[in-house]
Amino acid sequence: MFESVSDRIRDAEKIVFVTGAGISQESGIPTFRGKDGYWRKYDPMQLATIDAFYQNPKLVWEWYEDRRKNILAAHPNKGHLAISDLAKYKDVIVLTQNIDGLHQRAGSNQVLEAHGSIIRIKCTVCDFKDNITGSFDELPPKCKCGGILRPDVVWFGEALPQDIWRDAINHAKSCDVMIIAGTSLAVSPANTLPIFAKQNGTVLIEVNPERTVMSEHMDLSIMETSTNALPQLISLLE
Ligand code: BJW
Ligand code: ZN
């Protein structure tokens, strides 16, 4: 399955993974645009914009609380674990669009969360940020300053955290191999990371049971789920 790239990846030193919702799908966490994805049932403009939040903060919070409970009950799968294992042998960076923390729970320690984290909150008024440790007495929760607290995630129309995005571009430009797993690459600017890598001659490998907008530009497109493909692919790099 990997013949076309095996010679080019064996000696790679720095491997960057760009991951999306599909990598956590086999842990029981729904994707957005795939089969049974959130955006097939709900309008993203009603749940994932700051305007929607100000219009109905309780509704948006209820959606995030349901998701947070599901995520906390889920476990990293073989895909997350294989990525974490590879760090014993190579310099591995994970650039994830996921907010579920499953890469970290699998043991990966160089993870950049491009779209934030479901286990953090931040204030809509002051600089307050914190981890969520329990459940809330009321929704939406309030900050000591009186402002409404929101999930620390990146909604449509919002900029990605600047320092994280700068580091993500630098890693994309300096890796030998980029493995793009479980993302439709429908959302910018995260979907430009493979372009930065390609400009530097990086080997691009995609793992996704469906074709994406960038499949034809990949050096290898593996049309499999991540728990099937990643352990095999990664064993070649170890
Ligand atoms: C498997 C699998 C298995 C299944 N194994 N694979 C027009 C109007 C308004 C905005 C725009 C516009 N045009 C472009 C924009 C910009 C916009 C954008 O890209 N929109 C497009 C959708 C059109 N982007 C933004 O707004 C971003 N910000 C921005 O651009 O800022 C500019 C700015 C600069 C300076 C100042 C101010 C602004 C922000 C994007 C934020 C995205 N937020 C979300 C929700 C928040 C987080 C959360 O609640 O979880 O992030 S949306 C959602 O999409 C979520 C995801 O992280 C993101 C990407 O989705 P992902 O991960 O790719 O999932 P899916 O479902 O799309 O794909 C899953 C894939 O897995 C599928 O391909 C399956 O086949 C596959 N799969 N099972 C492997 N087992
Ligand atoms: Zn505050």
Side-chain angles (χ1 to χ4, degrees), residues 51-88:
D51 290 346
F53 181 70
Y54 284 135
Q55 208 165 354
N56 197 341
K58 191 162 183 286
L59 174 84
V60 174
W61 259 113
E62 282 169 352
W63 184 57
Y64 276 95
E65 281 297 272
D66 278 352
R67 289 177 62 200
R68 191 165 62 88
K69 283 182 192 134
N70 183 34
I71 284 167
L72 291 179
H75 299 285
N77 62 46
K78 285 184 200 162
H80 300 105
L81 293 168
I83 293 174
S84 145
D85 202 47
L86 182 61
K88 289 185 205 147

Side-chain angles (χ1 to χ4, degrees), residues 123-128 143-147 149:
C123 182
T124 50
V125 177
C126 73
D127 289 338
F128 176 77
C143 179
K144 283 191 182 133
C145 80
L149 294 169

